[in-house]
């Protein structure tokens, strides 16, 4: 334990036999347990993790990083950990930095702490310009959605309090990193970015997440869009409605200017129909936004109920384990 707190590290892994052993060997002694989520590996990842004393959660087939993270989170709650740290199995992160991530949580200064590769320019890792640009754009997108500036929303080295874990409700299968920021920020939890020096490239093999940046951006954007839709539908659909409205008004004013100049709609009658089409779409988007807002409020209530149920279940489990059986006379 660290200052009386049970710390569990979760490591999702897919075919990481070349690096998983070294990562586990470097885990600090104050860590109580390590959970390796074997996401359908076909190499010796599972065997190596078991030989190093890790708890292994197996996926019979590859389900994606998002679901691997959820499996690890569930196992941590079952272990009744006070703090969970998740990190990658490729060796890019230094386990000695775990202490820096967990201290703000233990001191109640943050609910969620994430390592940040880009907050401090002096610690920027070496990587291709396209990857650097992609990370920057993704961070700016998430920052604009949650109205809070973040510099690195894709780093897989993070720490969470027990309460934060019970509040997390994620749906993405491909990844969890960006959705976590949206989920926790909209729930009002305190997020802290900690500048951290990491290696920019893998020592062994290629990245399984960002080897194809276009595919990564497409799949990640879908997760972000769904999360934005679920939490801020009026803002999302309102912006779309505004775009359609401006397009429709543009066609309408063009037609009116032509009419006042030449006292005729021809040959631009089609702009009138186009204006009506876009203005109708704008109204539909506004109505859709209000309808989705009702569902968003229902989800917020469901999230709160789920959180309370998880908390109650954990309390019941503690009570059951503390019951001392008495002998029958």
């Amino acid at each position: 334990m660290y200052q009386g707190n049970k710390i569990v590290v979760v490591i999702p892994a897919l075919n990481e036999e070349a690096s998983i052993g070294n990562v586990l060997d470097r885990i600090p002694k104050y860590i109580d347990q390590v959970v390796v989520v074997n996401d359908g590996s076909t190499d010796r990842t599972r065997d190596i993790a078991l030989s190093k004393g890790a708890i292994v959660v197996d996926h019979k087939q590859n389900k994606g990083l998002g679901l691997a993270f959820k499996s690890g989170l569930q196992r941590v709650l079952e272990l009744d950990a006070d703090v969970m740290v998740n990190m990658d199995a490729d060796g890019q992160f230094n386990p000695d930095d775990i202490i820096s991530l967990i201290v703000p949580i233990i001191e109640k200064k943050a609910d969620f702490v994430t390592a940040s590769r880009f907050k401090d320019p002096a610690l920027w890792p070496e990587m291709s310009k396209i990857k650097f640009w992609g990370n920057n754009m993704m961070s700016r997108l998430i920052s604009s959605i949650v109205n809070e500036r973040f510099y690195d929303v894709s780093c897989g080295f993070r720490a969470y309090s027990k309460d934060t874990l019970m509040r997390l409700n994620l749906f993405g299968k491909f990844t969890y990193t960006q959705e976590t920021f949206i989920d926790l920020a909209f729930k009002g939890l305190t997020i802290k970015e900690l500048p951290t020096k990491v290696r920019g490239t893998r020592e062994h093999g290629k990245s399984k997440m960002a080897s194809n940046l276009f595919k990564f951006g497409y799949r990640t954007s879908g997760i972000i869009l769904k999360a934005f839709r679920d939490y801020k539908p009026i803002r999302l659909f309102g912006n779309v409605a505004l775009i359609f409205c401006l397009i429709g008004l543009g066609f309408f004013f063009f037609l009116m200017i032509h009419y006042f100049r030449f006292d005729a709609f021809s040959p631009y009658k089609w702009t009138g129909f186009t204006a009506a089409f876009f203005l109708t779409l704008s109204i539909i988007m506004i109505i859709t936004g209000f309808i989705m807002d009702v569902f968003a409020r229902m989800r917020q209530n469901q999230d709160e109920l789920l959180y309370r149920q998880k908390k109650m279940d954990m309390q019941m489990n503690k009570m059951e384990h503390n019951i001392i059986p008495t002998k029958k006379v």
Side-chain angles (χ1 to χ4, degrees), residues 52-65:
K52 298 294 183 180
I55 298 171
V56 175
V57 177
D58 282 312
H59 289 175
K60 293 183 179 180
Q61 59 185 12
N62 179 240
K63 294 184 178 181
L65 182 59

Side-chain angles (χ1 to χ4, degrees), residues 290-303:
F290 280 109
I291 293 174
M292 293 301 298
D293 187 59
V294 174
F295 287 106
R297 293 175 186 272
M298 291 173 61
R299 171 175 172 166
Q300 290 173 5
N301 290 332
Q302 290 175 340
D303 281 350

Side-chain angles (χ1 to χ4, degrees), residues 129-139:
K129 291 183 179 180
I130 186 66
K131 284 188 177 182
F132 185 89
W133 178 84
N135 276 287
N136 184 44
M137 290 300 102
M138 188 64 71
S139 297

Side-chain angles (χ1 to χ4, degrees), residues 68-326:
F69 175 80
K70 290 178 68 175
S71 294
L73 185 156
Q74 182 59 41
R75 191 72 181 93
V76 169
L77 289 177
E78 292 170 0
L79 293 169
D80 194 25
D82 297 298
V83 180
M84 182 187 99
V85 177
N86 77 270
M87 60 188 300
D88 295 343
D90 56 15
Q92 288 184 257
F93 306 124
N94 185 354
D96 291 337
D97 291 326
I98 290 176
I99 188 69
S100 300
L101 297 180
I102 67 175
V103 165
I105 292 176
I106 292 172
E107 294 179 349
K108 309 296 183 183
K109 295 180 179 179
D111 301 301
F112 166 53
V113 181
T114 177
S116 179
R117 298 165 293 177
F118 310 113
K119 188 172 184 178
D120 184 353
L123 300 179
W124 284 354
E126 293 183 8
M127 62 173 58
S128 66
K129 291 183 179 180
I130 186 66
K131 284 188 177 182
F132 185 89
W133 178 84
N135 276 287
N136 184 44
M137 290 300 102
M138 188 64 71
S139 297
R140 289 184 178 277
L141 173 61
I142 298 297
S143 298
S144 66
I145 291 174
V146 302
N147 291 323
E148 186 175 353
R149 183 67 174 104
F150 296 114
Y151 295 85
D152 189 1
V153 298
S154 303
C155 186
F157 191 23
R158 302 171 170 188
Y160 313 74
S161 69
K162 180 192 295 185
D163 198 69
T164 301
L165 294 177
M166 289 190 287
R167 289 187 179 277
L168 264 178
N169 195 10
L170 308 177
F171 295 92
K173 297 180 181 180
F174 177 67
T175 186
Y176 65 92
T177 51
Q178 296 83 15
E179 187 181 4
T180 299
F181 272 87
I182 297 174
D183 187 59
L184 297 182
F186 283 151
K187 288 175 180 175
L189 275 69
T190 303
I191 300 174
K192 179 179 177 63
E193 271 192 289
L194 188 71
T196 308
K197 180 67 175 178
V198 305
R199 193 168 67 236
T201 57
R202 291 171 55 100
E203 184 178 0
H204 304 282
K206 295 182 179 180
S207 171
K208 299 172 182 64
M209 293 296 297
S211 57
N212 187 322
L213 289 180
F214 293 103
K215 180 180 179 181
F216 177 80
Y218 172 75
R219 298 186 68 174
T220 302
S221 297
I223 295 173
I224 294 171
L225 185 62
K226 290 177 182 178
F228 193 20
R229 175 203 63 193
D230 292 341
Y231 287 105
K232 295 293 180 180
I234 291 182
R235 183 178 166 191
L236 174 63
F237 288 96
N239 287 334
V240 176
L242 178 61
I243 293 172
F244 285 154
C245 181
L246 291 175
I247 295 174
L249 290 175
F251 281 108
F252 175 75
F253 286 129
F254 174 83
L255 182 62
M256 289 298 98
I257 291 172
H258 177 78
Y259 177 78
F260 286 125
R261 290 181 61 187
F262 302 101
D263 196 28
F265 291 115
S266 297
Y268 297 110
K269 288 183 179 180
W270 63 271
T271 59
F273 293 107
T274 303
F277 172 75
F278 278 104
L279 291 173
T280 301
L281 282 181
S282 177
I283 294 172
I284 292 174
M285 288 295 104
I286 292 174
I287 294 174
T288 302
F290 280 109
I291 293 174
M292 293 301 298
D293 187 59
V294 174
F295 287 106
R297 293 175 186 272
M298 291 173 61
R299 171 175 172 166
Q300 290 173 5
N301 290 332
Q302 290 175 340
D303 281 350
E304 183 63 25
L305 290 173
L306 182 61
Y307 162 70
R308 294 186 181 187
Q309 184 62 50
K310 289 178 180 177
K311 203 165 187 177
M312 187 180 300
D313 289 344
M314 294 192 72
Q315 291 173 348
M316 291 295 294
N317 288 334
K318 282 185 178 180
M319 291 176 61
E320 289 177 0
H321 285 110
N322 289 332
I323 293 177
I324 302 175
T326 57

